[in-house]
């Protein structure tokens, strides 16, 4: 595919980054409970610490990601990508050295701090890099390919975690993080800020694309900021059109439900079906393979026929069903079946990113992608405040009704709000308005 040729080194970097970051996902629940509540199948302390970490990480990403995205518009994508690539090494190194209570708390603190930079910024900067290199007509497919490669890295790391002992898994993840940073520094090429994606034929149809014939158009729609973007500047960007506003609402509520689902699901499965590391790995493997296949093959096929807006509605519908089916799982094999819904639900994020990307010019991609990531991070701050105590209550013996998956159903209702908002996004609004 043309997207692979244009983004080769970025895709390798994304694969390696996800391989290192996600390798500990299948084992972190057992590591956490082994360090905090050894010998138990339910641990409220572990659930609350996970929720606190998610909240702090989301709050930090809310503040830092728009700043990092804006700085990348000025100083380059590669220069800023070095930050998450390097920061991700530290917590993995601690976990590789030891997994007792003391080492776990050291990992927990450093992971919480570094994740504020790593998780949101890596995706934001990489998507801006894609927008710089790929013309608008092929951008949705390129976003899908990039997300698919990230999912492939997740699949590879899950397979490794499935067969490698816990101690070796953490060590391999730390080594992979070092290799990722070195590869990015050695091979990834800086972009030209998106100027190459503006062909002569596109200048007439893309009013925010910077034409070479007019010196008045050399500054982007939003002038380069000499300081970190303020909340009022971010709000002005997001309210500049109804598409921006509704995409922000969809991002928030989908992020709220998705974060609530992902951060409570493994504890729910352990409490109800006594899942262990290998079963977590099997479930995550199904999700990863299905998601990677969907983004690499299904999305490039469906986007030209349906468009991003219709595909977004379909993906959000699948995401709602995904959460509701988890909540009523009656046997250990039901979560494995439910994981197949990822083939559609995983397309939500690349669809939103593509819609937003087409609303701004080439020198604004880092800023707008950072804003959307910041909104998602806001959801990550609020989500644990709601779902952490709710999950702990539902899984405890004090709950007045027997529905351990009630918190997962609430995550489905949050996604339902995003679905209702996406239906109000008329296809015509996805097109970029003419500049006055």
């Amino acid at each position: 595919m043309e997207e692979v040729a244009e983004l080769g080194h970025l895709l390798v970097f994304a694969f390696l980054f996800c391989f290192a970051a996600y390798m500990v996902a299948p084992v972190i629940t057992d590591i956490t409970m082994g360090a905090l509540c050894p010998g138990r199948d339910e641990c409220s302390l572990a659930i609350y610490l996970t929720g606190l970490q998610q909240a702090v990480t989301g709050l930090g990403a809310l503040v830092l990601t728009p700043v990092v995205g804006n700085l990348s518009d000025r100083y380059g994508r590669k220069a800023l990508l070095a930050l998450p690539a390097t920061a991700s090494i530290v917590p993995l190194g601690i976990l590789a050295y030891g997994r007792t209570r003391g080492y776990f708390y050291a990992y927990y603190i450093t992971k919480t701090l570094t994740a504020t930079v790593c998780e949101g910024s890596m995706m934001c900067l990489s998507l801006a890099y894609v927008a710089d290199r790929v013309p608008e007509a092929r951008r949705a497919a390129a976003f899908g390919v990039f997300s698919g490669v990230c999912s492939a890295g997740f699949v590879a790391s899950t397979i490794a975690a499935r067969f490698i002992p816990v101690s070796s898994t953490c060590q391999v993840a730390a080594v992979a993080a070092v290799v990722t940073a070195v590869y990015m520094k050695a091979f990834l090429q800086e972009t030209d800020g998106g100027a190459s994606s503006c062909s002569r034929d596109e200048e007439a149809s893309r009013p925010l694309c910077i034409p070479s014939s007019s010196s008045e158009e050399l500054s982007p729609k939003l002038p380069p900021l000499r300081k970190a973007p303020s909340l009022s500047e971010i709000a002005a960007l997001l309210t500049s059109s109804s598409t921006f506003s509704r995409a922000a609402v969809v991002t928030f509520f989908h992020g709220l439900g998705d974060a609530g689902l992902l951060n409570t699901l493994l504890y729910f499965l352990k409490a109800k079906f006594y899942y262990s590391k290998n079963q977590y790995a099997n479930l995550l493997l199904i999700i990863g393979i299905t998601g990677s296949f969907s983004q690499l093959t299904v999305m490039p096929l469906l986007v030209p026929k349906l468009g991003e807006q219709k595909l977004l509605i379909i993906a959000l519908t699948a995401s709602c069903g995904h959460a509701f089916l988890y909540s009523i799982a009656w046997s250990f094999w039901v979560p494995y079946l439910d994981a197949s819904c990822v083939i559609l639900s995983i397309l939500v994020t690349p669809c939103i990113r593509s819609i937003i990307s087409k609303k701004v010019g080439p020198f604004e991609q880092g800023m707008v992608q950072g804003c959307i990531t910041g909104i998602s991070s806001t959801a990550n701050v609020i989500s644990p405040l709601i779902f952490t105590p709710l999950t702990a209550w539902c899984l405890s013996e004090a709950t007045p009704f027997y529905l351990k998956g009630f918190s997962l159903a609430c995550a489905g209702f949050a996604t339902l709000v995003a679905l209702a908002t996406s239906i109000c996004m008329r296809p015509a609004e996805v097109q970029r308005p003419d500049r006055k």
Side-chain angles (χ1 to χ4, degrees):
M1 296 176 66
E2 294 181 60
E3 290 81 6
V4 176
E6 294 169 339
L7 304 171
H9 290 305
L10 178 70
L11 296 180
V12 174
F13 163 73
F15 178 88
L16 293 173
F17 186 93
C18 294
F19 179 82
Y22 292 124
M23 186 174 290
V24 298
V27 302
I28 194 62
T29 301
D30 286 344
I31 290 175
T32 303
M33 297 189 67
L36 302 178
C37 306
R40 294 172 54 185
D41 293 324
E42 187 276 327
C43 181
S44 296
L45 177 60
I47 296 174
Y48 278 107
L49 283 178
T50 301
L52 177 63
Q53 183 180 60
Q54 179 187 349
V56 174
T57 297
L59 183 62
L62 169 64
V63 176
L64 292 178
T65 305
V67 175
V68 172
N70 183 64
L71 290 174
S72 75
D73 289 331
R74 300 169 57 190
Y75 301 112
R77 315 297 184 202
K78 179 179 178 178
L80 273 298
L81 273 172
L83 186 60
T86 305
S88 63
I89 300 173
V90 180
L92 292 174
I94 294 174
L95 207 60
Y97 192 79
R99 285 158 301 285
T100 59
R101 182 184 291 261
Y103 284 109
F104 171 78
Y105 279 120
Y107 160 80
Y108 179 86
I109 294 171
T110 56
K111 174 65 176 177
T112 302
L113 295 176
T114 58
T116 61
V117 176
C118 298
E119 294 186 358
S121 297
M122 184 273 178
M123 184 63 66
C124 158
L125 297 173
S126 297
L127 292 174
Y129 190 103
V130 172
D132 288 348
R133 286 296 182 94
V134 180
E136 182 178 303
R138 294 188 285 111
R139 195 169 294 165
F143 283 167
V145 169
F146 174 80
S147 299
V149 170
C150 291
S151 297
F154 173 79
V155 170
S157 66
T158 305
I159 293 175
R162 175 66 176 80
F163 297 104
I164 298 176
V166 173
S167 58
S168 300
T169 297
C170 299
Q171 294 169 355
V172 171
V175 172
V178 174
V179 173
T180 301
V182 173
Y183 182 91
M184 187 278 299
K185 184 67 175 178
F187 295 104
L188 191 67
Q189 300 298 314
E190 187 60 87
T191 71
D192 56 5
S196 63
S197 68
C198 297
S199 66
R200 293 180 180 273
D201 292 337
E202 289 177 313
E203 288 181 0
S205 61
R206 296 177 57 194
L208 294 184
C209 191
I210 299 176
S212 59
S213 59
S214 174
S215 59
E216 295 179 357
E217 301 292 340
L218 288 178
S219 62
K221 181 182 176 184
L222 296 178
L225 303 177
R226 297 182 180 180
K227 56 183 179 61
S230 66
L231 292 178
S232 61
E233 290 165 331
I234 294 174
L237 171 64
L238 296 175
T239 57
S240 60
S241 77
S242 59
T243 300
F244 272 142
S245 302
R246 288 171 179 168
V249 173
V250 171
T251 300
F252 175 80
F253 281 101
H254 174 258
L256 187 69
D258 197 45
L261 177 67
L262 292 177
N263 288 279
T264 60
L265 177 61
L266 298 185
Y267 291 104
F268 163 75
L269 294 176
K270 190 172 188 66
K272 187 167 184 177
F273 302 119
Y274 309 105
Y275 271 35
S276 63
K277 183 200 81 167
N278 290 343
Q279 290 167 310
Y280 290 147
N282 292 337
L283 180 65
L284 295 175
L285 192 58
I286 294 173
I287 294 174
I289 292 175
T290 306
S292 181
F293 170 79
S294 176
Q295 292 171 111
L296 289 172
T297 60
V298 176
M299 186 170 181
L301 291 175
L302 293 182
V303 166
K305 298 179 180 179
L306 300 177
E308 292 99 322
Q309 196 265 344
K310 290 182 180 179
L311 189 58
L312 175 62
I313 294 174
I314 295 172
L316 284 169
T317 303
S319 186
C320 291
H322 186 55
F324 289 134
L325 186 55
Y326 271 133
S327 69
I328 61 172
W330 57 90
S331 180
F332 74 94
W333 57 265
V334 176
Y336 295 123
L337 176 65
D338 190 20
S340 62
C341 292
V342 172
I343 196 169
L344 291 175
S345 63
I346 202 168
L347 302 181
V348 172
T349 298
C351 285
I352 294 176
R353 298 284 187 169
S354 178
I355 291 172
I356 291 300
S357 174
K358 294 178 180 180
K359 293 291 293 180
V360 299
F363 292 94
E364 302 160 357
Q365 294 294 331
M367 177 66 173
V368 74
Q369 297 292 350
C371 288
I372 293 298
T373 303
I375 292 170
S376 180
S377 299
T378 304
N380 287 337
V381 174
I382 298 175
S383 179
L385 302 179
I386 300 172
F387 291 102
T388 297
L390 185 60
T391 301
W393 178 62
C394 291
L395 297 181
S396 69
E397 297 180 355
T399 179
F401 55 88
Y402 185 78
L403 183 57
K404 292 186 176 181
F406 179 70
S407 60
L408 304 180
C410 292
F413 285 117
T415 308
L416 195 60
V417 176
L419 173 61
T421 305
S422 69
I423 294 174
C424 298
M425 292 174 62
R426 297 189 301 272
E429 292 183 1
V430 178
Q431 302 300 321
R432 190 182 318 183
D434 292 336
R435 176 184 278 182
K436 301 296 185 182

